[in-house]
Each structure stands twice: as C-alpha cells, then as structure tokens.
Amino acid sequence: MLSFCPATSDDLADIVKLERYLFAPEIAFGHARWRELLRAGRCETWLLRDREGALMAYLSVLPHRGWRRLVVQTLAVHWKVRRQGWARWLLGEVIRRSHAEGWRGVRLEVSERNEEGLALYDALGFRIMTHLPDYYGPGHHGQRRVLAP
Ligand SMILES: CC(C)(COP(=O)(O)OP(=O)(O)OC[C@H]1O[C@@H](n2cnc3c(N)ncnc32)[C@H](O)[C@@H]1OP(=O)(O)O)[C@@H](O)C(=O)NCCC(=O)NCCS
C-alpha cells in the first residue's frame, strides 16, 4: 500500500531523482523548474510513498483559469509499482476534483513516443485535441489531450 501526501520543497531531491530515471532530458523538468513549481504554490504536486518512505509516484496539476481546465503538468510512477492502478488512481483524483469544482475537464500533453502514457490516456478516455509537431524537440512530436467533463 502507498500513502498519499502533497509535496513541499522538502521533496525536491526525491522528485528530481525519480524524474531522471523516468524521463528523457528533453521532457524532464529538471531541478530549477521543480524548485519553482514546488515554491510557487499555483501548481499542486501529489506524491505516493511506500512504507519505507521511498517516492513511488508523483503528479502535478495546475488549475488554469484561462482555459477553465485542470492541466496535468507531469505524472510518473516508479517501475516497481507499475500496472497496479496507481496512475489511474492519481488521475482519478484529478478527474473527481474537476467534476466537484466545475472545471471544463482535464488537459495534458504527451509524447507520441510514449506508448505506456498513450495507452493510459486512451484507457481513461482522454481524446486528442491537437497534434503538437516538434513539441519535445525536432522530430519529437506530442499530443494535447483532453478529458471533457
Ligand atoms: C505511464 C505510467 C504513468 C502508467 O503508470 P501505471 O501506474 O503503471 O498505470 P496504471 O497501472 O494505472 O494503468 C492504468 C491503465 O493504463 C494502461 N497502461 C498503463 N501502462 C501500460 C503499459 N505499459 N502498456 C499498456 N497499457 C498500459 C492500461 O490500460 C492500464 O490498465 P490495466 O492495467 O487494467 O490494463 C507509467 O508507466 C510511467 O510512469 N511511465 C514513465 C513516465 C510517463 O510516461 N509518464 C506519463 C507521461 S505524460
């Protein structure tokens, strides 16, 4: 079982360490951006830790008032606990919040090379809103996806 808690600046090192293993450098936020995200307060980051306190997953969500959507900035699950439903659970929390607070759905971007991410978002019903050519660098395309309320 994993425990859920909101991230603070004290979690910066753990998040950046896990991110380095899970994302290519052109996609990873890196230390400086994470420090800003955790400090700024506009974006919320949620963590899942195991019994020993090791970081097993994180998700960041930004309420975007212009689009009136919740924007998932990033999501990752440690390989030790994959395919156990944790990403589905974290996204479910975002979707529940979107309904409860009356947002116009949930938005995110994903690399077209990310087979597991694409499978996850397909499974949850996220639809392609826009193709994003070269979004992650030359020849590395992305997709903007939305789950409508
Ligand atoms: C993508 C990722 C977050 C999925 O996390 P997870 O906790 O393993 O996903 P879940 O167990 O909640 O999977 C939910 C559903 O998504 C789909 N799915 C998830 N991973 C999949 C995979 N590797 N292959 C096929 N389908 C997959 C399945 O439909 C799955 O349901 P099922 O297990 O009942 O078949 C995880 O693989 C990861 O962190 N990858 C690296 C970082 C990343 O790509 N993040 C997303 C970037 S936008």
Side-chain angles (χ1 to χ4, degrees):
M1 195 59 193
L2 303 181
S3 58
F4 173 81
C5 60
T8 70
S9 297
D10 293 343
D11 300 301
L12 176 62
D14 285 353
I15 293 171
V16 172
K17 185 174 168 198
L18 183 56
E19 182 189 61
R20 278 206 197 106
Y21 283 111
L22 299 186
F23 287 102
E26 68 269 25
I27 292 185
F29 286 0
H31 193 275
R33 186 159 172 212
W34 270 114
R35 196 179 48 209
E36 195 49 39
L37 275 181
L38 292 173
R39 197 191 282 154
R42 276 192 322 128
C43 177
E44 285 177 41
T45 299
W46 303 335
L47 307 181
L48 293 173
R49 290 186 180 275
D50 69 10
R51 281 166 206 252
E52 285 73 45
L55 183 61
M56 289 293 124
Y58 59 77
L59 178 150
S60 292
V61 59
L62 176 73
H64 196 292
R65 306 215 174 271
W67 292 316
R68 299 189 12 245
R69 288 198 163 108
L70 294 181
V71 180
V72 176
Q73 303 272 72
T74 184
L75 162 67
V77 174
H78 196 293
W79 56 90
K80 285 185 190 165
V81 295
R82 294 234 177 122
R83 298 306 290 270
Q84 295 177 25
W86 291 111
R88 189 193 289 276
W89 186 83
L90 284 166
L91 285 166
E93 289 299 301
V94 179
I95 294 162
R96 271 188 284 284
R97 176 171 167 189
S98 172
H99 288 311
E101 296 178 1
W103 294 90
R104 283 181 53 233
V106 179
R107 201 200 83 166
L108 50 82
E109 282 87 38
V110 58
S111 161
E112 289 190 351
R113 298 178 187 174
N114 185 345
E115 289 180 18
E116 57 224 10
L118 294 170
L120 171 69
Y121 301 134
D122 281 342
L124 270 71
F126 281 81
R127 302 267 170 255
I128 300 174
M129 188 168 89
T130 320
H131 288 278
L132 303 167
D134 304 318
Y135 187 70
Y136 296 103
H140 189 169
H141 311 313
Q143 296 176 0
R144 178 159 296 141
R145 289 193 174 213
V146 168
L147 183 71

